[in-house]
Amino acid sequence: MNGPQAPLLELRNLVVRYGSITALHGINLKVQAGELVTLLGANGAGKSTTLRAISGLIHPVGGEILWHGGLINRLRTERTVKLGISHCPEGRRVLSRQSVADNLALGAWLRRNKVAIASDLERCYALFPRLAERRSQLAGSLSGGEQQMLAISRSLMARPTLLMLDEPSLGLAPRLVAEVMAALSQLHRDGLTILLVEQNAQAALTIADRGLVLEAGSISAGGSAEQLLADNSLQASYLGAN
């Protein structure tokens, strides 16, 4: 008889330091295949650090990062991308002097199957039709919302098993926040596993399965999205009004 399936991603007692400053104090986290889990909390809580550790941009000093049950603590970012982990960082970071199409091609730089790459490109254009209309336009000339759509799409071009996003709604008008969240919800319905870092608690929990609240490098609360949305005291204390 088969035992319970290992989580797609698991953090066990993860500790990360920047010099003498401890950014993560032994956090534990599990993400099952197909879930959309959101990490919530104030600036400096450790949300971005968590994603950076998973993607290999920084290495923990303690604990374990497990992918399909295997340890990946010391892997470089190129290797984590090959494993199926795609990280869309805060701040969009598009190549402003390159076209939309060139930015998307960069997202597939580790892939060789041209047919599959072309298919995923059309999928991105279907998800964000504005990018299809502007495929020859320089990325730097796009609006902030369009650049965020491009950053997400570029991450999708790696064909990830896990998509990690850091503050995708930051600086966007409410209408564009809704558009980006609708796209993430569609990706989730299509079966993509998503780990979403967000300060906009209302928007994130509306599309998530579960949420975890980070406070000063530790997980202070967690539960289903419905539970967290209904917890007024928790929203007031940790998540803020959105």
Side-chain angles (χ1 to χ4, degrees):
M1 185 174 180
N2 294 330
Q5 186 175 8
L8 180 66
L9 173 73
E10 183 175 5
L11 310 184
R12 294 179 180 171
N13 300 312
L14 195 70
V15 179
V16 174
R17 295 194 183 105
Y18 296 107
S20 61
I21 299 172
T22 302
L24 296 179
H25 297 268
I27 70 169
N28 294 284
L29 179 155
K30 293 181 182 180
V31 180
Q32 300 291 343
E35 276 196 303
L36 197 167
V37 178
T38 185
L39 296 180
L40 306 164
N43 283 334
K47 306 184 304 296
S48 295
T49 296
T50 301
L51 299 194
R52 288 170 59 83
I54 294 166
S55 64
L57 290 170
I58 53 175
H59 295 306
V61 298
E64 297 177 327
I65 304 172
L66 301 173
W67 179 252
H68 289 289
L71 195 65
I72 63 168
N73 281 40
R74 308 301 298 180
L75 296 186
R76 297 174 62 181
T77 300
E78 180 179 332
R79 180 60 181 150
T80 63
V81 173
K82 287 182 177 179
L83 288 176
I85 301 171
S86 190
H87 181 185
C88 184
E90 181 183 347
R92 301 159 197 156
R93 303 184 189 180
V94 299
L95 298 177
S96 60
R97 296 185 179 181
Q98 300 294 322
S99 69
V100 167
D102 287 342
N103 271 266
L104 293 175
L106 179 64
W109 70 285
L110 289 174
R111 301 173 61 189
R112 296 293 177 265
N113 188 327
K114 292 183 179 180
V115 173
I117 291 171
S119 175
D120 287 342
L121 183 61
E122 291 308 313
R123 180 191 185 201
C124 290
Y125 286 149
L127 188 67
F128 296 116
R130 290 191 215 179
L131 297 183
E133 297 168 1
R134 292 160 172 75
R135 66 183 74 194
S136 299
Q137 193 169 319
L138 294 183
S141 67
L142 301 179
S143 70
E146 290 164 349
Q147 288 187 17
Q148 186 61 70
M149 295 171 192
L150 178 56
I152 294 170
S153 296
R154 185 177 59 192
S155 295
L156 289 173
M157 287 301 296
R159 189 172 277 195
T161 304
L162 171 68
L163 176 63
M164 303 193 301
L165 302 111
D166 195 349
E167 303 286 5
S169 76
L170 187 65
L172 300 187
R175 177 179 57 82
L176 291 174
V177 171
E179 194 169 337
V180 167
M181 290 298 165
L184 298 183
S185 182
Q186 180 60 56
L187 291 169
H188 178 220
R189 289 194 298 273
D190 290 343
L192 183 61
T193 308
I194 298 175
L195 183 57
L196 171 64
V197 160
E198 258 298 336
Q199 286 191 32
N200 189 330
Q202 184 72 36
L205 290 171
T206 298
I207 66 171
D209 297 310
R210 294 189 292 116
L212 297 167
V213 181
L214 274 171
E215 183 181 17
S218 298
I219 294 176
S220 58
S224 71
E226 291 81 3
Q227 289 172 328
L228 294 179
L229 279 169
D231 192 333
N232 293 328
S233 63
L234 186 66
Q235 292 223 17
S237 298
Y238 300 113
L239 309 181
N242 286 297

